[in-house]
Amino acid sequence: MAGFNWFWKAMGGQQSRNQKRSRAIVDKARTINRELDALDDAQLVARARDLASGGSVSDPAELLAVLGVAAGRTLCMTPFDVQSQATLRLLEGDVVHMATGEGKTLVGAMAATGFALTGKRVHCITVNDYLARRDADWMTPLVEFFGLTVGAITEKLTPEERRGVYACDIVYGPVNEIGFDVLRDQLITDRSQAVQKGADVAIVDEADSVLVDEALVPLVLAGNEPGRAPRGRITEVVRTLEPGTDYRPDDERRNVFLTDEGAAKVEHALGIGSLYDDDHVGTTLVQVNLALHARELLIRDVHYIVRDGKVALIDASRGRVADLQRWPDGIQAAVEAKEGLVVTEGGRILDTITLQALMVRYPTVCGMTGTAVEATDQLRQFYDLRVSVIDRNRELKRFDQADRVFATLEEKNAAIVDEIRTIHATGQPVLVGTQDVAESEELAERLREYDIEVSVLNAKNDAEEARIIAEAGDLGRVTVSTQMAGRGTDIRLGGADEADRDRVVELGGLAVIGTSRHRTARLDNQLRGRGGRQGDPGFSLFFVSLEDDVVTAGGAGEEITVTPGSGGEIDSKRVRDFIEHCQRVTEGQLLEIHSQTWKYNKLIADQREIIDGRRAEILDTSAAWESLAQRAPDRAAELSGKLSREVLDKAAREIMLYHLDNAWSDHLALLDDVRESIHLRAIARETPIDEFHRIAVAEFKELAQTAMAESVDTFRTVRIDEDGAHLEDHGLARPSATWTYMVNDNPLSGSGNSVIGSITSMFR
Ligand code: ADP
Ligand code: MG
């Protein structure tokens, strides 16, 4: 089994010691229970406060007992011993392996409450909005019993509402929303705009999904660039201008200026008033200048070439196309407009963070999942986390059948439909797990041809899915789902109300069918775990064909001879072993991809941390003013005479932050390009990651210098008055709207490119 690797064996000794100690503590907690039962609520709370005073728990057994009694009083759930044990393991910072239906929500809430009692701020991380809301609502009575506060972050909340929730002791939130708030808080220009408060602990539900499967999914914050790119009309007007009379370049040909005649011509052609009045100075004038710059100073085949409908820069010193370079977006767009190409205007990425980088920011991470053991290696390697296995409250009665193997996909698909029909004919509920949305829809279509009613779930609407999956155990139900659709929702036999429970039990419980083995056994087990909750009967069965991805990818270059029987079915232990082998190969490949990709991300995350440290200094001190005043003392003296220090601090802050953020965004774009092309560039000598490191580190050094030089430049020239620095006059406005999305092209998920998300926040 995948979990029993060298590490697991090596850690076995310590783990079983931990477990033994935990069980002893739980036993002790049980004996204290009766005594605590006699206390009234206020006394119980006082007891808890005592136990946790001083920032740590003095007697874990007593704390568990207090939490248990409180859960009984507030939620009508008295924790099973295994739940108390899991709570303790969470409090000690482990990932607990605990099967589906064992009550991980309560475990997470008890641990969160325990942490919060010691004065720690806790984030309970869920996989979606629906579960954050559900769990927060469900667990509120327990948390509030102790006088602590709890709230849920969901997509719809305004910044103001978010600020309120983040001020709570315990915050439930979907991982992506929490990440988006981190990104947005990294772009504030005044401390009062921040919505998050630092958290001490993350308790991650479905821990392997978040920490492993989706670890490399980037969360992206993008913004518009107000007035940066010249529109076609402006480019046309600029084309009619006469050099010398309408505009003049400076001697070094680094800038170009409109003359009064030129300005008048442009105003006339565009039918507007003065280019220099407030309406136009930050927008139209900037665009005209960009278009002029593109026309006069950037020469085709000298500074750039046009290739495949795109502008490609030429590296002047080497006379070659510089694939990795681009001009600032406004200029790039102006040149594209000049050449009549599609203008690649639009949003630019302001910042991005992967879920893994997000999670490692928390000083303490712990979590729970039904498939932790299988993720032991990754949890240790990437998060330095240990896994504690918690026994089931009731013995598992699910029967996991041996795979059914077929030579071809077509034969496999036919057999899957036959199998579902046969089971369905008896009334036994069936849950089918497919690999992707397309497969789930095709299968549903084929089943409907046989007049079978099918519910299809494919990760589009969490709340709706929860409702459907809750009924998946009902008599005669067939539910076709993609991986983890509807996750977190309990599947009760006989329907959500368990009305037909007895009949479904008699029929054998929930039948779980996997249409192929996943690239890791862990994902297979996530699906299997949907059946057999809390001692329910059930069975699981996977279908495999030799044409499946896992077999072709994992068995590449290996030959296996087979002799299929009727319908292409292959009943052979040797072939089943071969499939296990293929899966182990793909698991190894995924781990390798993960650790390689993380190396790239880690470096970017480290650099981001440095930037954020610098930002904090600018936000919280007078560092910005001091740096600028030191570098441009004349300007500083001039301003100091007119304006208060407070105003000057604010202006300096805005200028520095603008250029720092801008430089970071450029840096990210550049690193993205570097990474895309690094494999082409690494000419045998250097490994791609080393090459990437070299470039990233060099560019990062330059970033700081550029940001400072540009800030000083702006400081010298920009209008500064009581309202601060008028950056917009120079086309340096911050994005007026930002939006967030999650890029789902991570190599571990195996699915294609899809961008989920929408404009979620404006004008922050
Ligand atoms: P998991 O996340 O481990 O799959 P949930 O937290 O969703 O499980 O809980 C599954 C079900 O078990 C819920 O309906 C919950 O009400 C019930 N449950 C959990 N703990 C207890 C308990 N100690 N006593 C009674 N019911 C419980
Ligand atoms: Mg759960």
Side-chain angles (χ1 to χ4, degrees):
M1 184 178 162
F4 290 93
N5 43 46
W6 66 268
F7 170 72
W8 192 240
K9 281 187 213 128
M11 290 304 291
Q14 189 194 333
Q15 283 297 47
S16 59
R17 268 197 305 284
N18 281 343
Q19 297 283 35
K20 216 181 253 168
R21 198 176 60 86
S22 300
R23 266 188 289 260
I25 292 173
V26 170
D27 287 341
K28 185 176 162 207
R30 204 179 323 106
T31 62
I32 309 172
N33 259 345
R34 217 160 300 136
E35 176 199 339
L36 292 180
D37 261 336
L39 302 181
D40 66 20
D41 289 0
Q43 287 169 319
L44 205 57
V45 173
R47 191 80 165 243
R49 293 269 168 208
D50 272 357
L51 279 169
S53 64
S56 66
V57 178
S58 53
D59 184 342
E62 197 167 326
L63 180 70
L64 289 178
V66 170
L67 290 170
V69 172
R73 288 191 195 171
T74 54
L75 304 171
C76 300
M77 285 193 281
T78 301
F80 309 121
D81 282 359
V82 286
Q83 287 176 304
S84 296
Q85 192 192 342
T87 303
L88 183 63
R89 299 311 315 147
L90 286 182
L91 285 167
E92 297 199 349
D94 281 359
V95 171
V96 298
H97 177 102
M98 207 177 173
T100 317
E102 293 285 305
K104 290 187 284 291
T105 315
L106 177 59
V107 166
M110 289 197 296
T113 307
F115 279 122
L117 281 168
T118 64
K120 298 204 161 82
R121 194 185 304 280
V122 185
H123 286 179
C124 293
I125 311 273
T126 65
V127 292
N128 61 43
D129 257 39
Y130 165 77
L131 291 173
R133 183 78 269 161
R134 183 198 73 175
D135 292 355
D137 287 349
W138 187 9
M139 295 296 140
T140 292
L142 173 65
V143 178
E144 290 187 344
F145 179 84
F146 292 100
L148 299 166
T149 52
V150 55
I153 293 290
T154 54
E155 190 196 317
K156 295 276 176 317
L157 299 191
T158 64
E160 203 44 58
E161 290 166 330
R162 282 169 196 258
R163 206 167 289 132
V165 174
Y166 282 117
C168 292
D169 300 302
I170 299 174
V171 178
Y172 281 84
V175 65
N176 55 343
E177 285 304 317
I178 289 186
F180 291 145
D181 285 329
V182 165
L183 291 178
R184 285 184 289 242
D185 274 1
Q186 284 179 168
L187 288 178
I188 54 172
T189 53
D190 191 288
R191 264 296 168 221
S192 65
Q193 295 161 344
V195 302
Q196 286 197 339
K197 292 197 166 164
D200 306 293
V201 185
I203 301 180
V204 189
D205 196 8
E206 313 284 358
D208 60 329
S209 282
V210 173
L211 299 176
V212 179
D213 297 333
E214 297 185 2
L216 300 176
V217 170
L219 302 174
V220 180
L221 177 67
N224 66 341
E225 290 194 284
R228 290 296 284 274
R231 285 175 231 109
R233 178 88 188 100
I234 288 175
T235 306
E236 271 170 45
V237 172
V238 165
R239 200 168 280 148
T240 65
L241 299 179
E242 292 291 333
T245 48
D246 293 336
Y247 65 86
R248 266 194 296 274
D250 65 10
D251 291 343
E252 294 152 309
R253 292 192 59 82
R254 285 178 49 200
N255 282 302
V256 57
F257 303 99
L258 218 47
T259 61
D260 289 347
E261 287 97 319
K265 238 189 209 174
V266 171
E267 285 155 5
H268 179 73
L270 294 174
I272 60 171
S274 168
L275 270 174
Y276 298 93
D277 73 19
D278 282 353
D279 283 350
H280 296 293
V281 87
T283 51
T284 322
L285 183 60
V286 172
Q287 296 183 359
V288 170
N289 279 330
L290 285 168
L292 211 50
H293 188 105
R295 171 179 168 179
E296 185 61 27
L297 304 180
L298 296 173
I299 300 163
R300 183 168 174 168
D301 296 329
V302 175
H303 297 110
Y304 65 95
I305 60 166
V306 174
R307 193 171 62 183
D308 303 331
K310 287 192 191 113
V311 170
L313 273 66
I314 293 176
D315 181 325
S317 60
R318 285 192 274 165
R320 287 203 317 218
V321 171
D323 283 328
L324 300 181
Q325 291 177 18
R326 66 168 132 224
W327 291 299
D329 291 53
I331 293 193
Q332 188 87 21
V335 173
E336 287 162 350
K338 165 183 162 189
E339 294 294 341
L341 304 172
V342 178
V343 175
T344 55
E345 201 204 348
R348 69 188 307 216
I349 291 179
L350 303 175
D351 201 1
T352 156
I353 190 171
T354 59
L355 297 194
Q356 186 162 344
L358 176 67
M359 296 314 304
V360 299
R361 291 164 52 96
Y362 290 90
T364 301
V365 176
C366 59
M368 55 267 186
T369 170
T371 40
V373 165
E374 300 91 323
T376 302
D377 280 348
Q378 287 91 335
L379 293 172
R380 175 189 52 84
Q381 183 177 336
F382 300 119
Y383 303 93
D384 197 20
L385 282 171
R386 287 163 310 157
V387 171
S388 279
V389 179
I390 308 295
D391 291 338
R392 287 170 189 269
N393 186 44
R394 298 218 184 97
E395 203 188 320
L396 178 68
K397 292 215 198 85
R398 186 188 68 225
F399 181 66
D400 299 327
Q401 298 186 16
D403 293 351
R404 287 184 61 192
V405 184
F406 295 82
T408 68
L409 250 173
E410 204 183 321
E411 287 156 338
K412 181 185 83 169
N413 286 337
I416 291 170
V417 172
D418 280 351
E419 179 76 25
I420 296 171
R421 287 178 63 201
T422 311
I423 303 171
H424 176 68
T426 69
Q428 185 175 7
V430 191
L431 175 71
V432 190
T434 60
Q435 299 275 325
D436 53 46
V437 176
E439 193 194 350
S440 66
E441 272 158 12
E442 273 161 35
L443 178 61
E445 213 34 62
R446 295 184 68 176
L447 291 170
R448 284 182 188 127
E449 283 168 20
Y450 292 99
D451 288 330
I452 298 175
E453 210 182 294
V454 187
S455 311
V456 185
L457 289 177
N458 38 34
K460 283 175 188 155
N461 177 344
D462 304 328
E464 173 75 356
E465 282 186 359
R467 203 183 47 70
I468 297 175
I469 201 90
E471 297 296 342
D474 202 3
L475 198 64
R477 240 353 121 141
V478 176
T479 310
V480 176
S481 136
T482 51
Q483 181 66 24
M484 295 305 278
R487 55 192 157 179
T489 301
D490 217 16
I491 303 183
R492 296 174 183 218
L493 299 186
D497 59 1
E498 301 184 271
D500 282 318
R501 182 177 164 86
D502 294 346
R503 289 189 57 200
V504 173
V505 168
E506 226 167 87
L507 289 166
L510 181 68
V512 175
I513 305 258
T515 59
S516 27
R517 292 282 290 267
H518 295 85
R519 288 187 173 213
T520 79
R522 191 164 46 76
L523 297 180
D524 293 344
N525 291 342
Q526 285 178 0
L527 178 62
R528 282 193 220 279
R530 292 313 199 103
R533 68 175 274 283
Q534 289 282 347
D536 283 349
F539 80 89
S540 74
L541 166 62
F542 278 75
F543 285 78
V544 189
S545 94
L546 298 182
E547 294 176 346
D548 285 0
D549 271 0
V550 60
V551 179
T552 52
E558 296 185 45
E559 289 288 328
I560 179 144
T561 46
V562 294
T563 37
S566 74
E569 185 149 11
I570 306 162
D571 187 9
S572 142
K573 172 154 189 328
R574 191 173 49 87
V575 173
R576 282 199 194 91
D577 288 347
F578 174 68
I579 290 165
E580 293 290 337
H581 159 78
C582 292
Q583 193 177 46
R584 276 195 297 278
V585 172
T586 54
E587 278 171 351
Q589 291 166 345
L590 288 175
L591 183 57
E592 181 59 21
I593 293 173
H594 190 158
S595 69
Q596 283 302 326
T597 314
W598 175 237
K599 282 185 194 157
Y600 289 92
N601 292 334
K602 174 78 169 69
L603 179 73
I604 300 175
D606 289 347
Q607 294 188 336
R608 175 72 240 195
E609 208 180 305
I610 295 171
I611 295 283
D612 211 43
R614 181 79 182 124
R615 286 191 110 261
E617 196 191 350
I618 295 173
L619 283 168
D620 302 331
T621 72
S622 294
W625 169 257
E626 281 153 18
S627 309
L628 293 177
Q630 191 194 353
R631 287 172 176 79
D634 295 353
R635 174 69 166 156
E638 173 206 331
L639 290 166
S640 296
K642 294 189 295 198
L643 297 163
S644 73
R645 181 58 191 272
E646 198 183 327
V647 169
L648 293 173
D649 268 334
K650 175 170 178 278
R653 202 168 279 149
E654 279 167 359
I655 293 170
M656 294 263 288
L657 290 177
Y658 175 85
H659 286 294
L660 192 61
D661 295 344
N662 202 42
W664 175 252
S665 170
D666 285 347
H667 184 65
L668 280 181
L670 179 98
L671 292 189
D672 218 38
D673 285 352
V674 172
R675 209 159 117 181
E676 300 247 308
S677 61
I678 198 90
H679 294 279
L680 307 174
R681 288 164 54 101
I683 327 153
R685 220 169 294 144
E686 267 183 302
T687 61
I689 183 73
D690 292 339
E691 171 88 344
F692 179 79
H693 263 250
R694 198 178 53 69
I695 299 174
V697 169
E699 291 291 339
F700 189 68
K701 265 192 203 132
E702 209 153 289
L703 180 163
Q705 285 160 10
T706 311
M708 182 50 90
E710 283 176 351
S711 298
V712 173
D713 229 32
T714 304
F715 179 62
R716 285 211 172 91
T717 50
V718 79
R719 179 160 58 95
I720 296 176
D721 59 23
E722 293 291 342
D723 298 329
H726 289 264
L727 291 167
E728 68 284 355
D729 289 0
H730 292 226
L732 303 180
R734 290 187 158 266
S736 57
T738 61
W739 59 94
T740 51
Y741 55 90
M742 206 166 151
V743 183
N744 211 352
D745 65 348
N746 97 75
L748 305 186
S749 75
S751 58
N753 260 320
S754 76
V755 174
I756 4 173
S758 55
I759 298 189
T760 56
S761 97
M762 309 267 286
F763 312 109
R764 284 211 31 203

PDB file of all heavy atoms in Angstrom, residues 101 104-105 131 134-135 205-206 487-489, ligand 2:
ATOM      1  N   GLY A 101     -17.415  10.622   7.038  1.00  0.00           N
ATOM      2  CA  GLY A 101     -18.571  10.368   7.892  1.00  0.00           C
ATOM      3  C   GLY A 101     -18.227  10.188   9.353  1.00  0.00           C
ATOM      4  O   GLY A 101     -19.103   9.942  10.182  1.00  0.00           O
ATOM      5  N   LYS A 104     -15.534  14.853  11.047  1.00  0.00           N
ATOM      6  CA  LYS A 104     -14.349  15.719  11.051  1.00  0.00           C
ATOM      7  C   LYS A 104     -14.717  17.181  11.291  1.00  0.00           C
ATOM      8  O   LYS A 104     -13.909  17.949  11.799  1.00  0.00           O
ATOM      9  CB  LYS A 104     -13.575  15.571   9.727  1.00  0.00           C
ATOM     10  CG  LYS A 104     -12.888  14.215   9.605  1.00  0.00           C
ATOM     11  CD  LYS A 104     -11.999  14.131   8.382  1.00  0.00           C
ATOM     12  CE  LYS A 104     -12.790  13.945   7.108  1.00  0.00           C
ATOM     13  NZ  LYS A 104     -13.436  12.620   7.009  1.00  0.00           N
ATOM     14  N   THR A 105     -15.941  17.562  10.946  1.00  0.00           N
ATOM     15  CA  THR A 105     -16.333  18.959  11.149  1.00  0.00           C
ATOM     16  C   THR A 105     -16.273  19.304  12.631  1.00  0.00           C
ATOM     17  O   THR A 105     -15.728  20.344  13.025  1.00  0.00           O
ATOM     18  CB  THR A 105     -17.758  19.205  10.613  1.00  0.00           C
ATOM     19  OG1 THR A 105     -17.883  18.585   9.342  1.00  0.00           O
ATOM     20  CG2 THR A 105     -18.046  20.685  10.509  1.00  0.00           C
ATOM     21  N   LEU A 131     -19.194  25.041   1.977  1.00  0.00           N
ATOM     22  CA  LEU A 131     -18.773  24.345   3.202  1.00  0.00           C
ATOM     23  C   LEU A 131     -18.322  25.327   4.286  1.00  0.00           C
ATOM     24  O   LEU A 131     -18.516  25.085   5.476  1.00  0.00           O
ATOM     25  CB  LEU A 131     -17.656  23.344   2.884  1.00  0.00           C
ATOM     26  CG  LEU A 131     -18.098  22.133   2.049  1.00  0.00           C
ATOM     27  CD1 LEU A 131     -16.893  21.302   1.637  1.00  0.00           C
ATOM     28  CD2 LEU A 131     -19.100  21.268   2.806  1.00  0.00           C
ATOM     29  N   ARG A 134     -21.599  26.524   5.739  1.00  0.00           N
ATOM     30  CA  ARG A 134     -22.273  25.442   6.450  1.00  0.00           C
ATOM     31  C   ARG A 134     -21.588  25.155   7.779  1.00  0.00           C
ATOM     32  O   ARG A 134     -22.228  25.099   8.830  1.00  0.00           O
ATOM     33  CB  ARG A 134     -22.266  24.159   5.589  1.00  0.00           C
ATOM     34  CG  ARG A 134     -23.011  23.003   6.239  1.00  0.00           C
ATOM     35  CD  ARG A 134     -22.643  21.644   5.641  1.00  0.00           C
ATOM     36  NE  ARG A 134     -21.301  21.213   6.055  1.00  0.00           N
ATOM     37  CZ  ARG A 134     -20.778  20.026   5.746  1.00  0.00           C
ATOM     38  NH1 ARG A 134     -21.472  19.163   5.003  1.00  0.00           N
ATOM     39  NH2 ARG A 134     -19.569  19.706   6.149  1.00  0.00           N
ATOM     40  N   ASP A 135     -20.265  24.992   7.727  1.00  0.00           N
ATOM     41  CA  ASP A 135     -19.541  24.600   8.935  1.00  0.00           C
ATOM     42  C   ASP A 135     -19.545  25.714   9.976  1.00  0.00           C
ATOM     43  O   ASP A 135     -19.676  25.459  11.174  1.00  0.00           O
ATOM     44  CB  ASP A 135     -18.108  24.179   8.590  1.00  0.00           C
ATOM     45  CG  ASP A 135     -18.086  22.884   7.783  1.00  0.00           C
ATOM     46  OD1 ASP A 135     -19.171  22.290   7.594  1.00  0.00           O
ATOM     47  OD2 ASP A 135     -17.000  22.478   7.334  1.00  0.00           O
ATOM     48  N   ASP A 205      -9.494  21.427   6.227  1.00  0.00           N
ATOM     49  CA  ASP A 205     -10.365  20.285   5.966  1.00  0.00           C
ATOM     50  C   ASP A 205     -10.053  19.768   4.562  1.00  0.00           C
ATOM     51  O   ASP A 205      -9.631  20.538   3.703  1.00  0.00           O
ATOM     52  CB  ASP A 205     -11.836  20.715   6.083  1.00  0.00           C
ATOM     53  CG  ASP A 205     -12.778  19.516   6.208  1.00  0.00           C
ATOM     54  OD1 ASP A 205     -12.278  18.374   6.364  1.00  0.00           O
ATOM     55  OD2 ASP A 205     -14.002  19.719   6.159  1.00  0.00           O
ATOM     56  N   GLU A 206     -10.275  18.483   4.329  1.00  0.00           N
ATOM     57  CA  GLU A 206      -9.872  17.863   3.061  1.00  0.00           C
ATOM     58  C   GLU A 206      -8.412  18.238   2.792  1.00  0.00           C
ATOM     59  O   GLU A 206      -8.054  18.709   1.707  1.00  0.00           O
ATOM     60  CB  GLU A 206     -10.752  18.337   1.894  1.00  0.00           C
ATOM     61  CG  GLU A 206     -12.256  18.325   2.140  1.00  0.00           C
ATOM     62  CD  GLU A 206     -12.874  16.933   2.072  1.00  0.00           C
ATOM     63  OE1 GLU A 206     -12.149  15.946   1.800  1.00  0.00           O
ATOM     64  OE2 GLU A 206     -14.088  16.834   2.330  1.00  0.00           O
ATOM     65  N   ARG A 487     -18.018  17.321  -2.536  1.00  0.00           N
ATOM     66  CA  ARG A 487     -17.238  16.813  -1.408  1.00  0.00           C
ATOM     67  C   ARG A 487     -17.655  17.496  -0.108  1.00  0.00           C
ATOM     68  O   ARG A 487     -18.128  18.625  -0.108  1.00  0.00           O
ATOM     69  CB  ARG A 487     -15.745  17.002  -1.650  1.00  0.00           C
ATOM     70  CG  ARG A 487     -15.349  18.413  -1.959  1.00  0.00           C
ATOM     71  CD  ARG A 487     -13.924  18.458  -2.464  1.00  0.00           C
ATOM     72  NE  ARG A 487     -13.722  19.667  -3.248  1.00  0.00           N
ATOM     73  CZ  ARG A 487     -12.571  19.980  -3.802  1.00  0.00           C
ATOM     74  NH1 ARG A 487     -11.536  19.186  -3.687  1.00  0.00           N
ATOM     75  NH2 ARG A 487     -12.451  21.079  -4.508  1.00  0.00           N
ATOM     76  N   GLY A 488     -17.442  16.796   0.963  1.00  0.00           N
ATOM     77  CA  GLY A 488     -17.777  17.359   2.264  1.00  0.00           C
ATOM     78  C   GLY A 488     -19.205  17.103   2.691  1.00  0.00           C
ATOM     79  O   GLY A 488     -19.572  17.364   3.825  1.00  0.00           O
ATOM     80  N   THR A 489     -20.023  16.602   1.761  1.00  0.00           N
ATOM     81  CA  THR A 489     -21.418  16.349   2.124  1.00  0.00           C
ATOM     82  C   THR A 489     -21.602  14.873   2.446  1.00  0.00           C
ATOM     83  O   THR A 489     -21.126  14.005   1.733  1.00  0.00           O
ATOM     84  CB  THR A 489     -22.359  16.764   0.971  1.00  0.00           C
ATOM     85  OG1 THR A 489     -22.151  18.140   0.704  1.00  0.00           O
ATOM     86  CG2 THR A 489     -23.801  16.534   1.352  1.00  0.00           C
TER      87      THR A 489
HETATM   88 MG    MG B   2     -16.127  16.737   6.013  1.00  0.00          MG
END
